[in-house]
Every structure is written in structure tokens, then in C-alpha cells.
Amino acid sequence: MVYAAYCCELKCLLAFSPSELVEEEIRFKDCGSETNQKQFIINMLRQFSVTTGKNKKKVLVTEAKVLGKTVCEAAWREIYNVSEKRYEECVRMLKNGKINVVHGNMLKKRASTKTERALSWMRSLFERIGDWMPHKTQVHLPTASSKKQFYHRMLKEFNEELGIKPEDNITYEYFTMIWQKHLPEFIIPKVREFVRCSICIQLREDIARTRIKTERDKLEDMLEKHLKQVEIERRLYHNKREQARRESDEVLCVIQDGMDQAKTCLPRLVECDKLTHLLARIRLHLTGSIVHTNVPGGKIVPVYLDYNNFPHDSNLSMHLLLETLVDNKARLSRKLFAQLDNCYRENKNKYMLSLGHVLVELDIFDQVDFHFMPVGHTHEDIDQLFSCISRYFKKTNIYTMPDIERIISDSYNVPVFVKHVTHVFDIKKWLSPHMSKVFKGQSQPLCFQFKKIGGKTRMHYRHYSTSAWRPAVVYAEGNVPIEESLGLICMETMPNIDDVPDYVKPCVERMEPEKLQKDIPDAYGGRIPKLEDRNWLRNFVQDVDSYGEVPASKPGTWFLSDLVQTAREKRAKESDDELPQHLQNIQARIETECADLIVGRSMKQNCNKDAVQVDNFGSLMEGMFVAVFLPHLKQRPQLGKVMKLHREEETMAIHWFSGSWTGQWKPAYLGGGRNRKENIEVVWIESALCWDFELTKGGLLPRTVLNTLRVKYNDAQNEMHENSD
């Protein structure tokens, strides 16, 4: 406060003592918030101001008083430390008739921090464990759960993870109220409309019958563990889905399932009457897929329609999965994660597992994972697609196939590509002669993985995603792994991909042509009002026998041929995109590990867990990286991958890699264009220095392997000089 500040000719400020000025300023500041301070200013203005003019828009200040003493406007502002801008703002408010100041957010209803925290937790959990209903806009939570269980789980997790005490959270009554208000689509159904989980039902019935508290607690713990495991399995798919959207070069995530056939028929009428509800209809089968990758919206949605003239078995599932991959071959990645329906007839059988083996053996993918949800908990985001389609079906009469195509395309939040299944390859017949003779027990595990080990494609499995992969590797004498323990082999031999499979013979009898020709469209009468719709139905029924025919000739190539060609072109492009040397050096500095730290007596580090360095070559296997020493080659190190072992001749065929000590390593090729081929050479097995190691993600030698190779090459060079002397 400037006590001697000039305000006017009368020098009003000099009429007050310093203590009086301080007290008035403190009184103004004690109002607290800016809103209350503005209210104070307006109240004072109302006391010493009047409004004049036609509309009383002009504010005239008659006299301003402080502690009973008359002062000018400038002195009044100086006493209360009010800026001229704020003072003028309050004058404008008074002109407009505003005598009460209201904060801008006062009338806005905002949830408290506790409420927002609870809602965020509820939505996150419910989306993870809920089943999206394919025919409703609902998400069904486990029938064995209750709202009170969810509430206590929230309190427990907040306490353990965030350190929030139960009394600092919302009450149970408020929990149920905000659930009903903000999350009405998540419900706990009393009766499930689809096949339910037998474990959930059995445990729930036992809990209801048990009167002993200790036994009931045990049963509730078992049920909680089961639901927690289901949540973990669902989260695995969700994580892979998000990873595929972020790292599209690493993972391609696909989910595939079929829609309930009762909702897809022609004609489909919103209101049924007694005359038409028993008449024949054209039955359709809809199979949906969602490809999660790095595109706008995060997914590509193809939908396949057939007239129920093909058997709904693994042939159809494999055909549509391969067609989906071919349609998105520009987005192929290193790994494939396929989420499939837990149905033995369509997916979980020896044919689908053999297809996973083929996709890896042909180097289309480095790794293929098939994942299944537990029975009774299989609904996922693909069922949300079906729910959107079903909701449109309930609102509109559908008479023809163009109507269905239009509705499906308009029903979802991203573009839907509708395709017709005109033929199905008999992939089962194509695979059968080459498959392993025995397949047992594949109905129990939920996870299957295929990748190459030792140059051979092998399958591993596990019951849940938290279990260990089986079979586990078992080592014999000399640290040599037993062949059978490295993984299961689904294909004893490989079929020729140039041999296009035969077509599956359609079964027109499944369409019931006699009933269709009898009822459609004449028996529906006026329920089909448009002439063009009746003509479409009449033409379809007349040509129904054509849906039992197979194409006259087979194509020159098929799905696997296209995928193999695309994968080869992609690998060739990656090998050509080599970084400049200065960038390779920078990458080496970023990705390589630091040197070994030695404290005390210095020892030569000859042992390395990342590279096998034993004189016994029994652990050397096909598919492993190997470093060899060939004196006639000047390059150091000499690196390659074992393609074929001839132990009787003590030789091996290796595919050379090009690179440097600290640079990037890539497969070496001879020639260019169509004449390009892998640079493969046969060398002696005894020339191997170390093997069974992996390059880093950037194609560099790990630091530990690098140190080992320097020692090995130095020893080999010295030994060669000693022998020559």
C-alpha cells in the first residue's frame, strides 16, 4: 500500500491512518475467493452509485465512503487494492443488472474424485470380464458374481494398490446408484441366454445349498479364482489387440466367429403374424472377423455371408482365416495371434493346429498363436459387432440380400466389408496325408504356439496363459536336448503349396429348396410390398440349384501361395533396407550391453551363457546361429544359420549372414531380381566355434557373445600360426 499516493486534488488518502488502511485491505482480502471479492465490490458500488438514463444503463458514482469518510474512486481502489480493470468489470456487471456474482462452474454438476475413481475402475473391470451379447446392447457380467462382491473387490484393490482406506471410498449404496446411472449396459443376468460355464453354475449351486460358513468360504474362493483366471485370459487377448495396433510390424491380431443363424434369414419381418411365421425362409450364415492393426479406427472388419450350403466345419474356418490374411497381406507381421471360438467342430481340432504348423513352416510367420476362451466365457468384441447388426435387424424389414449388405455396412462404427462365400477349399483333404497320425487331448488347452526350434516347426501348448509351456525341454548326457522334448510336430511331411486343394462340394439340400420354392415369395402376400423385392426372391428360388455347383476349374494359385510370395518379398525388402554405417554404429552403441565388470583378480572370461562353447557338437542343431572359423576367409566374425546338418559326413550347410563386429547382421544373397538366391555353403562341422545364440532386435551381436567370439577367433588364429610353424 502506498499511503502517500496521489489520487486527486483533495488527497483523500491522507485522511486515513496507516493502521486503518491495513485493516480495510485485510477486510477485503478476507473475502477469500475472487467471486466473493467481486461481490464485495458490487455491494459497495450499490451503496454509493445510482443508475440514470432511459434504460438506466449509466452508472454514476455519487460518493464513495470508507469508514464514514468520503473519498474519490481512485482512492477507494487504492485502499482496497482493486485494479482498474476489475473495478470496470464490476461496473459493467452492475449496468447489466447483475447484483449477485456466481462462479462459472457453480451450476455445473461434476463428479467428485471418489466417484470418478470408482467409475473408472468399474468400467475398466467390466469391459475386461464382461461378455458382449451378439443380439443386445448389453454386456453380461458373470452370473455367479454380485454387486456386493464387486464393491468389496474395489475396496480391496484400492487399499492394496493405492493405499486408500475403505472409509475414504464411496458407500455401497452410492456404488449401486452410479452403476445404474452411468453404466446401465453392464448387467448381471439372472439367467444366461447362451451356454453357461459349467464350473460357474456348479459352484454357484453348491454355495446356495451350503449352510456351513467355512465350506461356503472355500467355494466362494474357488469361484473367485475361476473368474479371475477368465479375466486373465480375456486380458491376454486385449493386450495382444492393443499391441497389434501399436506395433503392427511385430504382431497381427485376428478374431473370428460366427453369428447366430436364427437372426439372419430372408425375408426377415420385424412383426410376425400367424400366416407367415411358419413359412420357409432363406437361411444365411454370417461369419465375422476383426483384424486389429495400425489403421484409422484400429481395426479392419470383413464379414462373410453364405447361404448355409457349405458345412460349418474346420474347412470353412480355415478358408475364411486364410482369405482374411490374404486380403490384408500388405499388413503381415512377424507374429500372428488368432482368437478363435472354443468349438471342436470348427476350430479346436487337428486340422486347425496343422494349419498353424504350415504357416510357420512356410515362413509366412515366425510365430503363430491360437488362443481360446474357456467355454461359457467366449463372447468378445466380435459379438459387439453382431450386436450392432442384430439391433438394426430388429428395426427394419429385410427382404433381399442387398438389404442385408446395406444394413451390415451401416451398422458398425468402422467400415464393414461384406463378402460372399462362393467356394470353399477342401483344406482338410489337402492336409490329411501329411499330418501326424495321432492327435489326442487338444480339446483341453486354451493356448497353442507354433515356432521354429532347431530348424523345425514345433508346437507348444498350455492350459491357461499363466501356465508353463509344454512340453518342457529335457536334456540328455552332454547337455544335448532330447528331440521329443523340443516340441510337438503336427506335420510329418509338407504338402506342395502349388497343388491347389479341391473344392468342398456344396450341399444344396441344406437350403431346403422344395420348401423355398413352395413359399417364397407368393405365400407372403402383401408382407413383401415391393415388386422388385418379390422378383429378387423369385429369381433366387428358381436358381437355388446353382448353389450346389462347384467352379468349373481351379485357380493357378491359392491363399498359401500368395501369402508365401508376400512374405518373401517383405523379407527381401527388409534385407535391402540396410542402415548406413554411421547409423549402424549409433545403433550398436544404443543396443549393446556394457563390458563385464571385474573386481579383484582379473580372469579371462571364457564362459558365456548366451553361446555354447563346448567341443561336443551334439548340441548343434538346424536353425541355430553359428560362428565358424574358415582361414581362407578374411572376414571376422564368420556368421551364418545352420540350414542342414549331415552328421555322418561331418558337414553342415549354412546360410551366410553379412555384417561386422559392431554392425547390423542380415542374410546374404547372391544375384539380384529373379535370379536372387540365398548364399548357402557347405562347411565342416568342426569349424564351428560357438552356436545357439540370438541376435538383438536390431540384428546386432549381444555384448557377451561379442566378447566370446573375439577370444575364440584370437585363440583359433594363434593355434593356426603355431601349427604352421
Side-chain angles (χ1 to χ4, degrees):
M1 174 72 69
V2 182
Y3 301 111
Y6 179 82
C7 57
C8 64
E9 295 178 354
L10 299 176
K11 298 183 179 179
C12 306
L13 291 175
L14 297 178
F16 300 93
S17 66
S19 60
E20 290 175 335
L21 294 174
V22 170
E23 288 178 1
E24 285 301 302
E25 184 178 5
I26 292 175
R27 185 164 74 94
F28 176 72
K29 290 183 177 179
D30 285 344
C31 293
S33 65
E34 182 181 354
T35 301
N36 293 337
Q37 290 179 1
K38 285 184 178 180
Q39 188 66 56
F40 177 89
I41 297 171
I42 288 179
N43 291 340
M44 296 293 290
L45 286 172
R46 292 180 64 196
Q47 293 178 15
F48 56 75
S49 302
V50 295
T51 55
T52 61
K54 285 186 177 182
N55 299 321
K56 294 187 177 183
K57 292 288 184 180
K58 188 174 181 181
V59 177
L60 296 177
V61 178
T62 54
E63 59 180 10
K65 290 187 177 182
V66 177
L67 298 177
K69 301 176 183 178
T70 303
V71 296
C72 62
E73 288 183 32
W76 189 91
R77 292 199 309 270
E78 189 69 29
I79 291 172
Y80 293 109
N81 197 16
V82 177
S83 65
E84 186 176 358
K85 181 179 179 181
R86 180 189 281 193
Y87 182 83
E88 294 297 333
E89 181 183 356
C90 293
V91 170
R92 285 195 301 271
M93 292 175 65
L94 192 60
K95 282 182 181 180
N96 296 328
K98 295 180 180 179
I99 59 175
N100 294 315
V101 182
V102 179
H103 191 274
N105 293 330
M106 186 175 180
L107 300 178
K108 295 180 181 179
K109 294 184 178 180
R110 291 189 175 183
S112 65
T113 303
K114 293 191 293 185
T115 303
E116 290 180 348
R117 183 171 61 229
L119 282 172
S120 176
W121 180 89
M122 292 162 68
R123 182 175 294 279
S124 175
L125 175 67
F126 294 168
E127 287 180 351
R128 289 201 310 269
I129 68 175
D131 287 339
W132 294 88
M133 292 295 101
H135 64 307
K136 295 181 179 179
T137 57
Q138 293 178 348
V139 182
H140 284 188
L141 301 175
T143 54
S145 59
S146 65
K147 292 185 177 181
K148 186 153 285 188
Q149 287 178 350
F150 287 126
Y151 177 71
H152 288 301
R153 176 175 176 177
M154 181 187 73
L155 298 183
K156 182 180 178 182
E157 291 187 6
F158 282 171
N159 187 24
E160 292 177 352
E161 299 176 7
L162 304 176
I164 301 174
K165 297 180 180 179
E167 56 268 21
D168 295 334
N169 286 295
I170 61 176
T171 63
Y172 173 70
E173 290 75 14
Y174 191 63
F175 177 85
T176 57
M177 187 191 76
I178 63 174
W179 183 341
Q180 184 176 3
K181 181 178 180 180
H182 298 282
L183 304 171
E185 67 272 21
F186 297 97
I187 65 172
I188 303 175
K190 295 182 179 179
V191 178
R192 295 288 293 272
E193 301 178 32
F194 295 88
V195 177
R196 293 176 285 177
C197 174
S198 58
I199 297 177
C200 292
I201 297 302
Q202 185 65 56
L203 288 175
R204 193 176 186 185
E205 291 178 351
D206 291 343
I207 291 171
R209 287 194 297 263
T210 303
R211 296 292 178 263
I212 303 173
K213 187 178 184 305
T214 56
E215 293 183 5
R216 187 166 60 250
D217 291 342
K218 289 181 181 179
L219 293 172
E220 289 176 351
D221 288 342
M222 292 172 61
L223 181 58
E224 183 179 355
K225 289 180 181 178
H226 170 66
L227 295 178
K228 187 69 175 177
Q229 189 62 56
V230 172
E231 179 184 343
I232 292 173
E233 297 304 318
R234 200 180 298 279
R235 190 181 300 170
L236 172 64
Y237 165 63
H238 292 175
N239 291 340
K240 291 294 182 182
R241 180 179 66 188
E242 296 307 316
Q243 182 186 3
R245 294 173 180 176
R246 296 191 312 268
E247 306 172 15
S248 56
D249 290 337
E250 183 69 16
V251 179
L252 179 67
C253 182
V254 178
I255 183 171
Q256 179 175 292
D257 200 0
M259 185 176 175
D260 185 8
Q261 298 182 55
K263 300 173 180 62
T264 52
C265 56
L266 294 175
R268 178 177 175 81
L269 306 176
V270 175
E271 295 184 5
C272 294
D273 58 81
K274 289 186 176 181
L275 296 177
T276 61
H277 80 286
L278 293 178
L279 295 178
R281 286 175 169 80
I282 303 169
R283 290 187 296 171
L284 297 175
H285 179 251
L286 187 151
T287 303
S289 296
I290 299 179
V291 181
H292 299 284
T293 185
N294 187 13
V295 295
K299 51 193 170 184
I300 301 170
V301 185
V303 168
Y304 303 94
L305 292 171
D306 66 85
Y307 290 105
N308 206 38
N309 54 333
F310 295 106
H312 298 156
D313 58 0
S314 54
N315 264 333
L316 182 62
S317 298
M318 291 187 291
H319 179 99
L320 297 183
L321 177 61
L322 291 176
E323 185 170 354
T324 301
L325 294 177
V326 170
D327 291 342
N328 296 276
K329 60 184 180 181
R331 299 176 179 85
L332 291 185
S333 58
R334 290 184 56 250
K335 300 176 183 178
L336 170 66
F337 184 90
Q339 179 76 28
L340 304 173
D341 189 28
N342 198 342
C343 173
Y344 176 81
R345 174 173 53 89
E346 297 179 1
N347 299 310
K348 209 173 185 182
N349 52 52
K350 59 183 181 181
Y351 301 106
M352 185 64 77
L353 298 181
S354 298
L355 179 63
H357 180 112
V358 170
L359 290 174
V360 174
E361 186 66 26
L362 295 177
D363 294 325
I364 298 172
F365 297 100
D366 294 343
Q367 179 178 310
V368 171
D369 287 88
F370 290 151
H371 183 247
F372 304 87
M373 288 296 296
V375 176
H377 300 277
T378 57
H379 290 111
E380 255 306 331
D381 53 356
I382 189 71
D383 296 282
Q384 184 186 16
L385 165 66
F386 298 152
S387 174
C388 296
I389 296 173
S390 178
R391 184 166 67 248
Y392 271 74
F393 282 1
K394 291 179 180 179
K395 300 177 181 178
T396 311
N397 288 337
I398 305 170
Y399 306 110
T400 64
M401 179 60 76
D403 293 340
I404 283 191
E405 293 175 357
R406 175 179 50 80
I407 289 175
I408 293 175
S409 300
D410 297 341
S411 62
Y412 205 43
N413 55 5
V414 297
V416 179
F417 304 96
V418 182
K419 304 185 69 176
H420 293 271
V421 181
T422 58
H423 63 274
V424 174
F425 287 118
D426 194 348
I427 304 176
K428 291 163 60 174
K429 181 181 176 182
W430 186 76
L431 292 170
S432 293
H434 308 275
M435 292 164 44
S436 296
K437 304 304 179 186
V438 179
F439 276 86
K440 289 184 180 180
Q442 68 268 20
S443 61
Q444 296 299 322
L446 299 178
C447 307
F448 298 88
Q449 187 178 91
F450 304 85
K451 60 182 179 181
K452 284 189 176 181
I453 300 176
K456 293 182 180 180
T457 302
R458 302 178 187 273
M459 180 185 76
H460 291 80
Y461 64 92
R462 56 185 178 183
H463 191 188
Y464 295 111
S465 59
T466 53
S467 309
W469 287 108
R470 298 165 61 187
V473 180
V474 179
Y475 292 91
E477 296 181 2
N479 200 29
V480 179
I482 299 176
E483 177 76 14
E484 291 77 9
S485 68
L486 293 176
L488 305 178
I489 298 178
C490 297
M491 299 289 289
E492 295 180 351
T493 59
M494 279 295 295
N496 186 0
I497 61 171
D498 294 330
D499 294 338
V500 180
D502 296 330
Y503 292 115
V504 174
K505 175 67 176 175
C507 182
V508 73
E509 287 76 16
R510 294 165 57 93
M511 302 174 65
E512 300 179 338
E514 295 81 7
K515 293 183 179 180
L516 296 179
Q517 293 169 355
K518 177 183 176 183
D519 295 340
I520 296 177
D522 298 332
Y524 284 86
R527 294 304 305 273
I528 305 177
K530 293 184 179 180
L531 177 61
E532 58 183 297
D533 293 338
R534 292 198 298 271
N535 290 337
W536 188 94
L537 291 170
R538 186 174 289 107
N539 293 334
F540 177 87
V541 171
Q542 291 175 355
D543 298 336
V544 70
D545 291 336
S546 64
Y547 292 94
E549 301 174 356
V550 296
S553 60
K554 293 191 294 185
T557 59
W558 70 300
F559 300 139
L560 284 179
S561 306
D562 295 341
L563 291 174
V564 168
Q565 181 64 26
T566 302
R568 287 176 179 171
E569 292 174 355
K570 187 172 184 179
R571 284 196 300 273
K573 182 180 179 182
E574 290 175 353
S575 63
D576 290 339
D577 297 338
E578 187 171 351
L579 293 173
Q581 186 61 43
H582 71 284
L583 294 181
Q584 292 184 26
N585 296 335
I586 293 175
Q587 189 176 30
R589 294 172 60 187
I590 294 173
E591 298 190 359
T592 53
E593 301 175 3
C594 63
D596 295 333
L597 176 65
I598 300 174
V599 178
R601 184 180 176 184
S602 176
M603 290 184 62
K604 194 174 184 181
Q605 301 294 317
N606 287 327
C607 241
N608 169 33
K609 64 179 181 179
D610 293 324
V612 176
Q613 308 171 54
V614 294
D615 293 332
N616 179 12
F617 298 100
S619 58
L620 180 62
M621 303 190 68
E622 295 175 0
M624 290 182 177
F625 276 102
V626 61
V628 299
F629 177 69
L630 301 178
H632 64 279
L633 296 180
K634 294 182 179 180
Q635 179 184 346
R636 301 287 188 274
Q638 300 157 10
L639 216 65
K641 182 174 282 189
V642 180
M643 305 301 292
K644 193 71 175 176
L645 278 171
H646 306 282
R647 295 193 183 275
E648 295 179 356
E649 302 173 4
E650 298 184 354
T651 61
M652 59 179 175
I654 62 173
H655 179 195
W656 288 114
F657 274 55
S658 60
S660 60
W661 286 105
T662 59
Q664 190 178 30
W665 288 87
K666 290 191 175 182
Y669 294 90
L670 298 175
R674 295 184 177 180
N675 298 324
R676 175 175 172 167
K677 60 181 181 179
E678 297 173 339
N679 186 2
I680 297 177
E681 185 177 352
V682 178
V683 300
W684 296 105
I685 291 180
E686 63 182 12
S687 65
L689 294 180
C690 62
W691 54 89
D692 196 15
F693 56 87
E694 294 292 336
L695 300 176
T696 66
K697 227 175 193 180
L700 305 176
L701 284 170
R703 172 63 65 179
T704 51
V705 178
L706 190 66
N707 294 338
T708 300
L709 288 178
R710 289 187 187 277
V711 173
K712 283 289 183 180
Y713 275 101
N714 187 45
D715 292 345
Q717 192 74 27
N718 293 337
E719 184 179 352
M720 184 184 70
H721 289 317
E722 290 174 2
N723 293 336
S724 62
D725 294 340

